[in-house]
Amino acid sequence: MPDLPSPQDATEAALFSECWDAVLSYADLCTAGSSAAAELAREAFAEGIRDLRAAESGSVRGTGRRSSRLPRIPLLLTAVRTTAAAWEKEGKGHKLDPELRLWLHSDEAARYTGPPLERPVALRGLRDLQQADAELLWLAEAEALPLPLVARRLGLDPATTADELAQVARLFRDRCHRNHLDSPMDAECRSYARLLDAVTRSPAADTPEDLSRHLATCRRCAEAAACLRLNTGTLPGALAGGVIGWGGLAYL
């Protein structure tokens, strides 16, 4: 079992403290016992921290352009999922949850590593945000942390954090709408795209019956709808399911 990486400074030590419980919680969902959960969490955490350090180092040395990496916690949760996939390939799948093993061999799992335009719109939308905005959205919505705590973690003014979150949520919605339109879709899905955008802009708008029937049978349009509705409580589930994948709703 790999050792956890040592923090490089006080900032990284705080990051480790903030993220470890999330990683262990998700690893527990992914495995068949507490011993396997601890092993998966440690291996994934070490891999995720290496990726995080490389991404942050690259953004310092690079051209100054925004990195498209995920926020810290979902990046580490993704490392749990990819480490579990590696276990399955390496013959260690007996340590994983049986339902996760089935999912890892499904077309749904392939979406997360396949062509970018076919990946879930929530995943693409979160990557499209500025890093600080993505961190704010994830901590407030997916982790459901109190806004004063989120403000303290991110160095924001507590008096304005709620307004900033509302603005970021609207940006996320716009990115998801654009990504939905950019996704490969059949003629029926394309015909409902503009209506879906209009209906989800207002919580008071009624959903036409034909669109409701379509959303009941088309998973990808339903995923987009959950991302586009900002005032109906669907955003946390849309983020967790679209970014983490298997077990996202259970993680919440």
Side-chain angles (χ1 to χ4, degrees):
M1 184 184 301
D3 293 329
L4 291 175
S6 298
Q8 295 178 331
D9 50 35
T11 299
E12 199 170 71
L15 168 67
F16 284 19
S17 177
E18 293 167 2
C19 295
W20 170 251
D21 284 347
V23 170
L24 184 58
S25 293
Y26 186 50
D28 187 58
L29 291 173
C30 293
T31 49
S34 58
S35 177
E39 181 183 356
L40 179 63
R42 293 173 71 88
E43 186 174 333
F45 194 84
E47 181 64 30
I49 290 299
R50 284 194 293 269
D51 291 344
L52 186 61
R53 287 171 175 171
E56 293 184 340
S57 176
S59 66
V60 170
R61 294 195 302 265
T63 62
R65 290 182 297 177
R66 174 177 54 84
S67 169
S68 63
R69 72 169 174 84
L70 289 170
R72 290 165 290 186
I73 289 180
L75 183 148
L76 291 167
L77 297 176
T78 298
V80 175
R81 191 190 71 226
T82 57
T83 302
W87 279 20
E88 178 70 11
K89 292 181 179 179
E90 295 165 2
K92 298 165 63 176
H94 61 281
K95 298 182 179 183
L96 300 175
D97 181 279
E99 292 186 7
L100 171 59
R101 297 187 71 183
L102 291 174
W103 185 86
L104 288 171
H105 294 279
S106 70
D107 291 340
E108 182 63 23
R111 293 177 63 198
Y112 291 81
T113 56
L117 291 181
E118 295 184 2
R119 295 176 188 178
V121 291
L123 175 60
R124 293 151 59 194
L126 195 65
R127 286 183 181 275
D128 284 348
L129 295 177
Q130 295 285 343
Q131 201 61 46
D133 290 345
E135 294 279 1
L136 171 60
L137 188 68
W138 184 269
L139 291 178
E141 295 291 348
E143 300 298 323
L145 297 180
L147 283 185
L149 177 56
V150 174
R152 186 162 63 249
R153 282 194 182 185
L154 300 181
L156 303 175
D157 181 353
T160 61
T161 301
D163 290 339
E164 291 185 46
L165 176 60
Q167 181 178 1
V168 168
R170 289 192 294 270
L171 288 173
F172 175 75
R173 184 197 187 281
D174 289 344
R175 301 299 189 274
C176 288
H177 175 53
R178 182 192 66 194
N179 285 324
H180 181 56
L181 294 177
D182 289 343
S183 300
M185 63 177 78
D186 61 27
E188 182 179 14
C189 294
R190 183 73 62 187
S191 71
Y192 282 115
R194 292 182 64 183
L195 178 59
L196 180 62
D197 177 43
V199 166
T200 55
R201 283 189 180 276
S202 170
D206 292 329
T207 303
E209 186 176 342
D210 58 337
L211 177 58
S212 294
R213 287 196 300 269
H214 178 70
L215 294 178
T217 58
C218 179
R219 180 169 184 174
R220 297 198 181 192
C221 286
E223 288 177 351
C227 294
L228 298 179
R229 289 191 172 106
L230 298 183
N231 301 300
T232 58
T234 61
L235 186 53
L239 278 170
V243 174
I244 302 173
W246 185 87
L249 295 181
Y251 172 77
L252 292 183

